[in-house]
Amino acid sequence: MGYYDDHHNQKRRKNKRTGWLLPSIIGGIVGAVMMLLLLPSFNQSDLSPFGSTEQQGNADDEQNDVAGNNPSTKNMNVNITTQITDVVEQVAPAVVGVVSIQQQSNFWGQQESGQGGTGSGVIYKVENGKAYVVTNQHVISGSDEIEVVLSDGMHVKSTLLGSDLFTDLAVLELNVTGNEKVIEMGKSDNVKVGEPVIAIGSPLGLRFSGSVTQGVISGKQRAIPQDFDKDGRSDWQAEVIQTDAAINPGNSGGALINMNGELIGINSMKIAQSSVEGIGFSIPIDNAKPIIQQLETKGEVIRPYMGVEVYSLEDIPQAEWERTLQLPEEVKGGVYLWTVEPMTPAAQAGLRRLDVITHMDGEQIGNVIDLRKHLYEEKVVGDEMEITYYRDGQKQTTTLTLTSQK
């Protein structure tokens, strides 16, 4: 009985070991297969306890970098030459600094020279041993001496040939040093809104000379009122190009150029309001050319003169066209006279306040810019000019003889 029990118990324990061993072996085999199948996914998702191959490679690279012996390190040559850099390299030497020097009295009453202000200018011609620079009138206004600072830093004394308050242009002359670069003139009439442009000048003084900003043409033929005598009434409406290229104090007189490296405008003014950004103005070069020529050769601009203060009809509500000016429906544009100066060509021709001019010499006048272009580009002092206008709803004509502005 004892032998039987011992033998039976040993056999039962052996069968029990065999019963759990086989499932354990099968489970191990299945687990190993699953691990082999899933290991690539773990590496890609960074879940492997050993780190991915890429991580290990990066760690090795970092160690090699620290040691300074990374075999994969290469010298990179990047070509940063673009159309803009090419244009700037070509044009920048033609843009100069302009320093206004004013005589000041010291404590003892002695006269001393002091810097009155700085701006920018553009060399547009070199001829017969002289270089000619165009800048803004307000840059050199009130100066006793004017220096031009060339792109290489050389200061050269210059002579003011002439300046014009209305267009804010001035022309300087200096002896040629041999370092002058002449800019290429372009055309401003055919510029397009959205066209890329580059402004070059000396914002905030000569220490930032040659500064370059880029933008686009934001608008054409903008008429900006100018009040020269600060009496609250406009004395002039400047026709300008609007751009979002940054134009700051000191940029005045600098160049606005197109992507061909051609001068299309002389940078002039900026709306100085803290709430306004990205609005700069430039004098169109097509408008500036005849002024520059007169200033260079005559020292002043002699303009035909009517003797009126005019505004565009588009500046007032159309309800006033019929109610106040009594214009018929067929009138689609024109300018109205706000004031007529006594004893001027307009007054002698019988024109009055609130008359509306629609045609000059048969050419339609849609706004102030049309009037100024016809008057200043197609007429000279002494010419007769036929005016078509409306008064109290009635169409009338008159002829005046243009004189020079006093």
Side-chain angles (χ1 to χ4, degrees), residues 348-361:
Q348 292 173 353
L351 294 175
R352 301 178 187 171
R353 173 182 164 89
L354 298 186
D355 285 348
V356 176
I357 296 176
T358 59
H359 293 78
M360 290 179 168
D361 296 323

Side-chain angles (χ1 to χ4, degrees), residues 224-237:
I224 306 299
Q226 301 291 290
D227 180 11
F228 301 124
D229 54 12
K230 307 300 180 184
D231 63 353
R233 301 176 65 180
S234 297
D235 301 304
W236 185 259
Q237 291 197 25

Side-chain angles (χ1 to χ4, degrees), residues 242-355:
Q242 179 186 339
T243 178
D244 67 346
I247 299 175
N248 294 287
N251 273 118
S252 291
L256 187 72
I257 59 176
N258 60 22
M259 299 309 293
N260 293 323
E262 299 169 331
L263 181 68
I264 60 172
I266 305 297
N267 299 327
S268 181
M269 44 193 164
K270 178 173 180 169
I271 297 179
Q273 296 181 14
S274 59
S275 59
V276 177
E277 291 293 338
I279 299 182
F281 297 106
S282 185
I283 303 165
I285 196 60
D286 289 346
N287 294 9
K289 283 179 181 178
I291 305 300
I292 293 172
Q293 183 179 11
Q294 288 192 60
L295 292 176
E296 179 188 328
T297 57
K298 300 179 181 179
E300 61 179 344
V301 178
I302 302 174
R303 295 186 175 88
Y305 178 64
M306 290 178 60
V308 295
E309 181 183 354
V310 297
Y311 292 92
S312 301
L313 285 177
E314 61 193 25
D315 294 336
I316 61 174
Q318 286 206 357
E320 298 295 335
W321 294 22
E322 180 179 356
R323 183 168 54 200
T324 302
L325 302 175
Q326 301 179 30
L327 294 173
E329 293 183 359
E330 61 263 24
V331 175
K332 303 302 181 182
V335 298
Y336 65 94
L337 308 185
W338 185 248
T339 58
V340 178
E341 298 293 333
M343 304 302 295
T344 60
Q348 292 173 353
L351 294 175
R352 301 178 187 171
R353 173 182 164 89
L354 298 186
D355 285 348

